[in-house]
Amino acid sequence: MCLLALVGGTGCHHPHGETGPRGASAPIAVPPPGTVPVELDKIMLPPYVIEAPDQLLIEVVQRAKVPDPVTKVESVQTQRLPVQPVSGSFQVRPDGTVSLGFWGGVAVSGLTLEQAAEAIRRHVIANPVLSDLKTRPESIVVILDVLAYNSKRYYVIFDGAGFGEQVVSFPVTGSETVLDAISNVGGISDVGSKRNMWVARRTPHAGQPWQILPIDWVGLTQHGQTCTNYQVMPGDRIYVKAQKLVTIDRTLTRIFAPIERVFGITLLGSSTVNSISGRGNGFGN
């Protein structure tokens, strides 16, 4: 009876005053519809802002009119830059620039893709080599895209029930949900609580109201409810609390393990002394 009372008192409570999703407990308090983007009501993220260490695809070409060798009719074609072509994968360095080899470095951190492409175009046009070759500035075209979204990430954190915490990070690509995030780590660990999970949305300053979004894992997975399958935003922390019984068990283990070792050493020493003393008495008799 004591064990059942302990289970009932420790297994179904949600942080911040919220309780389990159904049954004897009150429903989890979720945000009103339309206030937080969820699985069936996602939003488009704002234009991507480049930061280190994003991986970019950059190609700089120049348009030129090339006559057909047979018909002599001119057609517009693209050609690579002289001296050194710019084409391939480029990583944003810690100082926020990308190195274009002969053409130098260009600051792209904090810019959108369109702004970064224009910054690279202006930088290349300003090079005196193109002026010497009489290259028209309007003929330079910059193609830029993101190969790896390394700077915008979210985090899945598992409580270790007193034995640390496991943190796994993933890049944000625009449409991930809580279910996607948990599936990326292979599901909830064996010590994780299905009724004690939430999304902690980042706030820029301490003391501001927390934006804690509770997750109804049972409703989300077993009943297909989407109201807590939130769309993941850059910087989100998806936290999975450990089961309280497991936490209590591991806490007691950490408390009593040193005591058990001390008693074990004492008993071993006492047994050894008694054994030696008994042998000595027997030899003397």
Side-chain angles (χ1 to χ4, degrees):
M1 292 177 64
C2 293
L3 180 59
L4 291 176
L6 182 61
V7 172
T10 59
C12 300
H13 292 289
H14 198 277
H16 316 291
E18 293 153 355
T19 57
R22 56 181 56 80
S25 303
I28 286 180
V30 299
T35 58
V36 179
V38 294
E39 178 182 348
L40 296 181
D41 189 19
K42 296 181 181 179
I43 62 172
M44 298 297 294
L45 297 182
Y48 190 82
V49 176
I50 299 171
E51 293 181 273
D54 285 335
Q55 197 81 17
L56 305 179
L57 172 65
I58 303 175
E59 185 168 1
V60 183
V61 296
Q62 56 179 335
R63 293 175 297 182
K65 293 183 178 181
V66 179
D68 186 90
V70 178
T71 62
K72 306 301 181 180
V73 177
E74 292 185 341
S75 62
V76 178
Q77 299 182 6
T78 58
Q79 300 175 346
R80 293 190 172 188
L81 291 179
V83 184
Q84 182 181 9
V86 176
S87 179
S89 175
F90 298 83
Q91 185 168 3
V92 182
R93 298 183 292 191
D95 61 353
T97 64
V98 289
S99 176
L100 303 181
F102 168 80
W103 306 97
V106 184
V108 296
S109 182
L111 304 179
T112 64
L113 300 185
E114 292 76 11
Q115 292 170 343
E118 182 60 25
I120 294 173
R121 180 178 176 277
R122 291 198 304 265
H123 180 83
V124 171
I125 291 174
N127 194 293
V129 171
L130 295 184
S131 301
D132 296 341
L133 295 175
K134 300 184 180 343
T135 301
R136 294 180 293 109
E138 60 272 15
S139 67
I140 300 299
V141 178
V142 177
I143 303 170
L144 186 145
D145 202 355
V146 180
L147 289 179
Y149 299 89
N150 297 328
S151 62
K152 308 296 186 296
R153 309 185 74 83
Y154 66 90
Y155 308 90
V156 181
I157 306 173
F158 289 99
D159 181 13
F163 289 131
E165 294 178 329
Q166 178 186 3
V167 182
V168 186
S169 65
F170 297 97
V172 174
T173 58
S175 63
E176 297 91 344
T177 62
V178 170
L179 190 59
D180 296 325
I182 298 299
S183 67
N184 286 338
V185 294
I188 301 175
S189 64
D190 55 345
V191 302
S193 173
K194 297 180 181 180
R195 303 172 69 94
N196 218 346
M197 306 169 54
W198 63 89
V199 176
R201 194 141 285 172
R202 59 184 179 181
T203 55
H205 303 291
Q208 290 186 343
W210 296 350
Q211 189 171 4
I212 303 298
L213 307 175
I215 300 172
D216 181 358
W217 182 254
V218 176
L220 188 157
T221 56
Q222 299 181 22
H223 301 273
Q225 298 175 359
T226 62
C227 56
T228 62
N229 193 22
Y230 310 107
Q231 182 180 359
V232 178
M233 300 295 173
D236 277 356
R237 284 83 162 154
I238 301 174
Y239 197 92
V240 181
K241 192 75 173 176
Q243 301 176 38
K244 289 193 174 183
L245 277 180
V246 178
T247 303
I248 293 172
D249 176 69
R250 292 188 173 183
T251 301
L252 292 176
T253 300
R254 296 177 65 180
I255 293 174
F256 290 113
I259 300 175
E260 291 178 356
R261 289 193 185 96
V262 171
F263 277 110
I265 294 173
T266 303
L267 291 175
L268 178 61
S270 175
S271 175
T272 303
V273 170
N274 291 335
S275 177
I276 294 175
S277 176
R279 291 178 181 176
N281 293 334
F283 180 78
N285 292 335

